[in-house]
Amino acid sequence: MSKPAVSPAFVQQLNFLARDASNESAALQAAFSLGLLDKLPRGPGAVPVSLEALARQLGANARGVRAVIEPLVGLGFVRLEEVRGYSLADATAAFLAQDAFTARLRDVLAWWHVVAKLPEAVRTGGPVDGRDLLGWYRALFLEPSPPAPGPEAEDFHDRFARNFARTQALVTAAELGLLARLVESSAPKATLAAELGAHPEGLGVLLGVLATLDVTREEDGRWGFTESAARMLDATSLPYFQRALPATMAYWEAFGHLDEAVREHRFRLDLRQPETARRIYQENASRISSIFASHLRLSRKAAELVGSMRSLAGARVLDVGTGSGVWGAAFGLAATTTHVTYLDSPHVLDAVRPHLTKLKLEARSRLWEGDCLTVDYGEAEYDVILLPQIIPALPPEALPGFFAKLARALRPGGLLLISGYLLTDRRDGPLDALYFSLRRYVSNEGDVLSLPEFRALLTPVGLSSARGFDMPIQQVVVAHRGDVAWPVVPSAAVTAA
């Protein structure tokens, strides 16, 4: 008998805590420490302020201010009016006028970097950097909190103060081996502490915090997974879940200095530095390669979409910034005569080769070592060009020339497929896309775009027809010169016409 399905809401929440919760806390904390919320107009008759004017008032760069304020709009704490600009939501203005409440927020700002040492605190049971981190966690999660001035204030404080602490609790549970141990069986706290090399008091705090997340529970003196956690985090799925945590931690230090990046345009994790980029992208390619099979199933849906618009038999496909190679491989498998070129840096292509060998695609594949912004793509070389989650990694100022070269390389009837997040026309959602955009900003990369922004880049280079499609997990934008018929019944829902 198969086990009952885990609640989608539980899966969504736990994945949010692993990937985006610390981004959300960072945005709220940066807005507070920058004084951004204080600068926003509020109250009856308030005139919204433009992004550029707000950046001038803060002495900050507009791109950084936008990266911080957009999630606040998506969460409803800030209002955005078309053309006019931003103002503070009435409820936000009310609770920020409470000195006792803002003092609580201010106290949280000192904990970001200390929280990253939770594994040490759990192992030793003592202070770290002279601070009682375990006591802070107890007060935040396991003891009664001071009353907030209303439900909106409590929601703000929860996201501001607890979300990044929740993420670090999951990171610590994975690092200590606690999650893997609980997959095996439940056990008394003392037994778990001895097996994991943790202090019983420190582990007790961690288990208690995880219990507030519905991950752990104590029964008859033994700690184990809840039913929901046991269904989601079994021996097969736990490794997949835990792979998100190192990526989150790679950005932790940078997010702790997000206000500095916005004000001074100085980045603690600068992916425009070649050595830093090499390290991060190589780690990312390794993580993606480990979940290649599941991503291949999803990528084949995109190949089906393109196949409903034009034949892939004999097609020449270019996969730009290929990463693990999963998108190009999906197109290579779509027809036995398709040829795929995989373009990326040498250390990333090293992760592609084993997949092509396993799928028996080597004979119809070419590995092209190069920089996607500087290589010569030629003229009318390709029937399909794939951009798998690469646009947010590129400098915005490079995109017009980049798209011009790609358009020149497309054959008549050719298609450009851009995968990744797609923002709403107002750039006020989806929230996971806004958090991804914030991560791109704090590492000095590119941006996540809306469909109108893509069209503004694609139309001048002759790709005058573009649509967005919903796919599993993410979206794709498909563009062409108007010489390909759109599918009457697409294999994915159209997000915008």
Side-chain angles (χ1 to χ4, degrees):
M1 180 184 297
S2 61
K3 63 183 181 180
V6 63
S7 161
F10 179 80
V11 173
Q12 183 179 18
Q13 177 66 7
L14 214 56
N15 283 327
F16 165 74
L17 293 176
R19 293 173 171 83
D20 293 330
S22 57
N23 303 10
E24 181 174 277
S25 291
L28 294 170
Q29 292 183 26
F32 184 78
S33 60
L34 285 165
L36 185 155
L37 299 170
D38 294 333
K39 298 293 185 184
L40 289 173
R42 65 193 70 193
V47 178
V49 61
S50 70
L51 175 65
E52 293 73 18
L54 182 59
R56 285 194 299 271
Q57 291 179 38
L58 294 171
N61 68 87
R63 168 74 179 90
V65 173
R66 179 162 64 83
V68 169
I69 203 171
E70 284 176 342
L72 275 65
V73 174
L75 291 167
F77 297 124
V78 173
R79 287 192 297 244
L80 170 63
E81 296 183 31
E82 295 294 339
V83 181
R84 302 182 71 197
Y86 301 96
S87 60
L88 206 59
D90 292 341
T92 311
F95 63 70
L96 290 179
Q98 303 290 321
D99 291 341
F101 181 74
T102 56
R104 289 176 62 195
L105 299 179
R106 197 168 293 108
D107 288 343
V108 173
L109 298 178
W111 287 96
W112 185 277
H113 299 290
V114 183
V115 162
K117 298 185 178 181
L118 182 61
E120 177 184 342
V122 173
R123 287 190 182 101
T124 66
V128 291
D129 294 344
R131 308 198 67 172
D132 184 8
L133 180 57
L134 294 176
W136 186 75
Y137 262 89
R138 281 194 208 93
L140 195 61
F141 289 99
L142 306 178
E143 298 173 358
S145 298
E152 295 89 353
E154 180 53 45
D155 180 48
F156 187 95
H157 179 267
D158 187 72
R159 297 173 187 274
F160 186 103
R162 294 193 185 94
N163 268 351
F164 76 109
R166 291 176 174 121
T167 297
Q168 193 56 238
L170 289 173
V171 169
T172 299
E175 182 177 320
L176 296 180
L178 175 61
L179 298 180
R181 173 60 183 82
L182 294 183
V183 168
E184 299 173 10
S185 66
S186 62
K189 180 179 68 176
T191 301
L192 292 172
E195 291 179 0
L196 302 175
H199 191 282
E201 181 179 354
L203 186 63
V205 172
L206 179 60
L207 288 167
V209 173
L210 294 175
T212 69
L213 307 181
D214 197 29
V215 172
T216 60
R217 67 178 177 183
E218 184 182 18
E219 188 173 0
D220 297 329
R222 300 174 66 89
W223 282 90
F225 278 147
T226 62
E227 290 184 11
S228 294
R231 293 182 194 133
M232 177 180 172
L233 304 176
D234 59 20
T236 301
S237 59
L238 178 61
Y240 179 90
F241 170 77
Q242 291 188 149
R243 287 185 188 105
L245 300 173
T248 297
M249 288 308 298
Y251 290 83
W252 195 275
E253 174 74 11
F255 271 126
H257 296 279
L258 177 56
D259 55 345
E260 173 185 277
V262 174
R263 187 179 286 115
E264 303 175 22
H265 206 67
R266 188 157 61 94
F267 302 91
R268 300 298 179 107
L269 180 68
D270 190 344
L271 293 186
R272 297 198 193 189
Q273 297 294 326
E275 182 56 30
T276 303
R278 185 202 64 77
R279 174 176 59 83
I280 294 294
Y281 289 140
Q282 188 170 13
E283 291 171 358
N284 187 53
S286 176
R287 281 190 292 268
I288 294 174
S289 291
S290 65
I291 52 176
F292 185 92
S294 60
H295 280 206
L296 181 62
R297 290 192 295 271
L298 301 175
S299 302
R300 295 188 79 163
K301 296 293 185 182
E304 291 174 12
L305 171 63
V306 171
S308 70
M309 298 175 63
R310 56 152 298 143
S311 173
L312 289 173
R316 293 183 61 83
V317 178
L318 173 64
D319 186 358
V320 180
T322 186
S324 69
V326 68
W327 282 84
F331 279 76
L333 293 170
T336 58
T337 53
T338 303
H339 185 278
V340 182
T341 297
Y342 303 81
L343 171 64
D344 216 312
S345 53
H347 56 273
V348 172
L349 291 177
D350 287 341
V352 176
R353 290 184 177 89
H355 299 305
L356 300 183
T357 300
K358 183 176 182 179
L359 295 171
K360 297 180 171 55
L361 290 172
E362 306 103 311
R364 296 186 286 115
S365 301
R366 172 196 175 202
L367 299 183
W368 184 7
E369 298 179 0
D371 182 337
C372 69
L373 293 178
T374 59
V375 299
D376 182 0
Y377 294 100
E379 184 173 357
E381 293 282 344
Y382 303 100
D383 300 291
V384 180
I385 297 178
L386 310 174
L387 301 179
Q389 198 62 279
I390 186 177
I391 295 303
L394 300 179
E397 63 272 14
L399 293 183
F402 177 61
F403 280 123
K405 292 203 298 183
L406 294 179
R408 180 173 176 267
L410 273 178
R411 292 173 172 173
L415 297 174
L416 176 67
L417 186 147
I418 307 166
S419 72
Y421 289 106
L422 188 63
L423 291 178
T424 61
D425 292 0
R426 282 166 44 92
R427 293 187 60 94
D428 57 357
L431 278 170
D432 57 345
L434 295 175
Y435 298 139
F436 184 78
S437 178
L438 184 65
R439 186 177 286 192
R440 301 281 67 78
Y441 172 75
V442 82
S443 54
N444 197 23
E445 292 187 282
D447 200 1
V448 178
L449 304 179
S450 65
L451 187 59
E453 288 170 322
F454 273 118
R455 285 174 170 159
L457 290 164
L458 296 169
T459 300
V461 300
L463 302 178
S464 56
S465 189
R467 289 187 181 183
F469 295 85
D470 284 330
M471 304 295 291
I473 297 181
Q474 56 187 341
Q475 295 82 41
V476 297
V477 172
V478 180
H480 54 76
R481 298 185 180 91
D483 53 358
V484 182
W486 294 110
V488 176
V489 183
S491 57
V494 180
T495 60

